[in-house]
Amino acid sequence: MLSDKHGFTLVQALWQLQLFLLLSYGCMLIFSAAEKAQPFEEMNRFSQMEWKQTVLQLDEELSRATAVRSVKGGKALEYISDQGRVVTIEPYQNILRKRMDQTGHLPLLQKVKQFRVKTYQHRAILKVTDESGQVYEAVFFIYKGVIPTS
């Protein structure tokens, strides 16, 4: 009754349909998991959002700074905040950090390969190179004073 030499029985057809659906569903789950894993690749890249946030924060702080200068041969930015604190923006390992009065640090950007800064004529120009080699640049206007590069 279950076997017919000339074709499939209803039970055999249902069994094979169930097996096909199970395999199809399994493939769909695998592809779905692979697609969801892709955003984790983005975590290993330089964050555009961090860059924009850092630029906005520095723009606000440098507009209120009383003195701004590049130090360490253009590898760090130093300014005196409106509260009289010495703030340094400098690379440390693969991050860009902010230090106040040479104590502690606050990470600003991650995945940074190189940081360069120039100050002249009431302007500060920052160039950041991420680990993939992409260069980001920001120009800040200084209203109170630029100290010549040291």
Side-chain angles (χ1 to χ4, degrees), residues 69-126:
R69 68 181 179 162
S70 63
V71 293
K72 299 180 184 177
K75 293 183 180 180
L77 175 69
E78 187 174 89
Y79 61 93
I80 299 174
S81 71
D82 55 349
Q83 292 134 4
R85 299 183 78 176
V86 177
V87 180
T88 307
I89 308 295
E90 62 188 353
Y92 175 73
Q93 295 175 354
N94 67 339
I95 65 169
L96 187 64
R97 69 180 180 179
K98 174 181 172 181
R99 297 177 70 194
M100 290 197 183
D101 298 325
Q102 299 301 316
T103 60
H105 74 260
L106 173 71
L108 296 175
L109 288 172
Q110 299 178 22
K111 317 275 187 284
V112 173
K113 183 178 180 182
Q114 184 179 19
F115 173 72
R116 302 293 295 167
V117 62
K118 275 193 219 177
T119 55
Y120 64 96
Q121 298 179 350
H122 299 285
R123 278 184 278 183
I125 301 172
L126 274 66

Side-chain angles (χ1 to χ4, degrees), residues 4-21:
D4 188 9
K5 293 181 182 181
H6 299 293
F8 292 106
T9 64
L10 180 61
V11 174
Q12 288 174 326
L14 289 175
W15 172 251
Q16 289 187 358
L17 178 63
Q18 183 181 6
L19 186 61
F20 171 76
L21 291 174

Side-chain angles (χ1 to χ4, degrees), residues 135-150:
V135 178
Y136 300 86
E137 186 173 321
V139 178
F140 301 97
F141 293 96
I142 315 301
Y143 301 106
K144 294 186 181 167
V146 172
I147 298 172
T149 305
S150 61

